[in-house]
Amino acid sequence: GDMLFYDGNTKLARLRNNVKLNNKKMELLTDSLNYDRNLHVVYFFNGATLKDNSNVLIAEKGYYYPKERLLRFKEKVKLSNKEFEIETDTLEYKTRKAIAFLLGPSTITHKDNIVYTDRGWYQSKTQDAAFFNRPFFTTKEGRSLLADTLYYNRDTEIVNAYHGVILKDSINQLTVRGNKAFYNNKVEYAMFTDSALVIEHQQEDSLFLHADTLFYMKELEHTVLKANKHVCFYRTDIQGKCDSLYYSSKDSVLHLSKSPVLWLEESQLSGDRMYLSLKNETLETLHVMGNSMLVMQEDTVKYNQLIGKELEAYFIDFKS
C-alpha cells in the first residue's frame, strides 16, 4: 500500500491507499486494509475487489483467515465469471476445498436459469450446489421449481428437489407438485414421486391428476405427461382412475390403460383401454376398447347397462 501504520503493542497493521494483497492464486485491491497478527485475520471495511484466474468478487466488507484459508465477505457481495453471477448478502469461501457458502439472501444468474435462495453452497471443482430454505429455480423457457431443498449440478443441469416441490410451466399452464422430484433442464424432463399431483389450469375448469409417479417431458415441440400406479383425476365434468396414463399436447388425447374407469354425470364407463379426446379444453370423443361397459343410473333403484367389445362416444355441447 501507499501507507502503513503498525502498532507493535497491539500487533495491528493498517495499510491505506492503493492496497494490494497477493497470494499465489488471487489478488485483493482496496484502499483500506487491516492485519491483526494476534487474531491472524486480514480485513477490509470500505469496499474491495478480489480477482483470480476466472472470478471477480466485489464486497463492502471482508475477512481473510490465512491459517484456515477462509474468506468471508459481507454487504453487497457480487461474484462474477463467464458462466454465472452471484449477488448475495454474505459469502464464505474455503480456498482449500474450493467451496463457497451463501449465508444470506442470494441471486445466482446463469445464461439459462436463475436461482433465488438465502442459504446454500457451491463446489467449483465438481460444479455441485445445494440450496436450502425454499429456494426458487427459474428457466428462460418460463418454468420454475420451488422446494425446501434443491441439489443442482451446473454441468449436467440436473436438479434433485425434496419436500414441498412445485414445478410451474407458465407456457402450458401446468403445475406439478410432489415431495420428491428429479428435473433435467437440458432435455426438459421431470419425474415426481411421493404425493405427486399435476394441475392443468383451464379457463372454464382445472384438471387435477394424482399418481404414485408422474413424468413430465418435452418431445419436440409438445408437452408429454405420463402417470403410473394409482392414477386418479378430477374435473367438474369428468372423473376417472386407472393404473397408467399418457397425454400429449400434440393430439390432446388421454390414453388410459390397466383397469380404467370413467364417471361422467350419472354414467360409469370401464374397459381394457380408453382414449379420451379433448378439444379446446372440452370433451370431444371417447373410444373404449376391450370389455367395454357402460352403466347409467335410471333412478335410485334401477340402472341401465350396456356391454360390448368396443364403445365410441361423442360429446355434443357436454357440460357439467
Side-chain angles (χ1 to χ4, degrees):
D2 290 346
M3 293 184 290
L4 168 65
F5 304 91
Y6 180 68
D7 188 329
N9 294 318
T10 61
K11 293 186 178 181
L12 178 66
R14 296 178 293 154
L15 290 93
R16 299 293 182 266
N17 302 336
N18 299 314
V19 180
K20 292 183 180 180
L21 172 66
N22 293 281
N23 69 12
K24 294 179 181 179
K25 296 182 179 180
M26 67 177 186
E27 179 181 68
L28 188 144
L29 307 174
T30 184
D31 66 351
S32 301
L33 187 77
N34 290 354
Y35 178 31
D36 190 325
R37 295 184 60 219
N38 283 320
L39 300 176
H40 300 288
V41 58
V42 180
Y43 58 95
F44 63 88
F45 45 85
N46 199 28
T49 300
L50 178 69
K51 299 179 180 180
D52 62 17
N53 292 332
S54 57
N55 300 290
V56 176
L57 186 144
I58 300 171
E60 288 297 308
K61 297 179 181 179
Y63 305 85
Y64 176 50
Y65 302 87
K67 287 187 176 181
E68 294 86 356
R69 300 285 182 88
L70 174 65
L71 292 156
R72 181 181 291 123
F73 303 98
K74 295 179 68 66
E75 296 183 15
K76 299 179 182 179
V77 183
K78 185 176 181 180
L79 173 64
S80 305
N81 59 37
K82 63 180 181 180
E83 298 292 336
F84 63 89
E85 181 179 280
I86 298 176
E87 294 184 71
T88 184
D89 175 72
T90 304
L91 184 146
E92 286 188 358
Y93 184 68
K94 293 184 177 180
T95 59
R96 281 196 181 97
K97 297 182 179 181
I99 299 178
F101 295 89
L102 303 175
L103 304 175
S106 308
T107 302
I108 305 168
T109 305
H110 186 260
K111 62 179 180 178
D112 296 321
N113 51 68
I114 301 175
V115 179
Y116 303 93
T117 185
D118 63 4
R119 191 164 295 272
W121 56 261
Y122 171 68
Q123 164 60 268
S124 60
K125 291 181 179 179
T126 62
Q127 306 297 318
D128 289 318
F131 308 107
F132 311 99
N133 299 346
R134 301 298 288 171
F136 187 58
F137 179 94
T138 65
T139 72
K140 65 179 182 180
E141 291 83 9
R143 282 176 292 279
S144 64
L145 188 66
L146 176 70
D148 285 358
T149 304
L150 292 177
Y151 292 97
Y152 174 64
N153 183 277
R154 191 166 60 84
D155 284 341
T156 62
E157 295 189 38
I158 289 175
V159 181
N160 285 284
Y162 299 94
H163 305 296
V165 186
I166 302 173
L167 172 68
K168 290 190 176 182
D169 184 340
S170 59
I171 297 174
N172 296 291
Q173 297 299 305
L174 286 175
T175 299
V176 190
R177 298 172 179 264
N179 282 316
K180 294 181 182 179
F182 169 91
Y183 179 66
N184 188 324
N185 189 49
K186 282 187 176 181
V187 296
E188 300 181 42
Y189 169 89
M191 179 181 72
F192 286 76
T193 60
D194 191 359
S195 304
L197 172 71
V198 62
I199 305 169
E200 183 185 23
H201 304 280
Q202 302 172 348
Q203 292 181 358
E204 298 295 329
D205 199 357
S206 292
L207 175 69
F208 297 82
L209 187 147
H210 165 79
D212 287 0
T213 306
L214 287 171
F215 300 91
Y216 164 91
M217 63 200 78
K218 298 287 286 187
E219 290 184 358
L220 299 177
E221 298 299 320
H222 305 288
T223 301
V224 172
L225 183 70
K226 294 181 180 179
N228 288 335
K229 299 292 184 182
H230 304 106
V231 183
C232 56
F233 57 90
Y234 173 87
R235 200 172 77 170
T236 304
D237 55 354
I238 185 170
Q239 303 83 43
K241 71 181 186 71
C242 60
D243 221 36
S244 180
L245 179 144
Y246 175 90
Y247 171 81
S248 173
S249 62
K250 182 179 181 180
D251 55 13
S252 297
V253 175
L254 279 168
H255 301 247
L256 290 78
S257 59
K258 298 182 180 179
S259 304
V261 181
L262 284 180
W263 291 274
L264 300 97
E265 293 187 338
E266 304 301 327
S267 302
Q268 175 181 296
L269 298 101
S270 60
D272 293 339
R273 299 186 307 280
M274 293 184 181
Y275 303 94
L276 181 63
S277 176
L278 304 173
K279 185 176 181 180
N280 298 325
E281 301 180 359
T282 60
L283 304 177
E284 187 177 36
T285 62
L286 171 66
H287 189 186
V288 184
M289 299 182 64
N291 298 309
S292 303
M293 183 175 183
L294 169 64
V295 179
M296 301 178 66
Q297 186 172 6
E298 183 71 21
D299 53 36
T300 57
V301 178
K302 299 176 182 178
Y303 291 83
N304 293 322
Q305 300 183 57
L306 180 65
I307 298 174
K309 290 183 179 180
E310 293 188 30
L311 180 149
E312 287 195 23
Y314 301 87
F315 301 95
I316 301 174
D317 297 327
F318 181 82
K319 294 182 181 180
S320 58

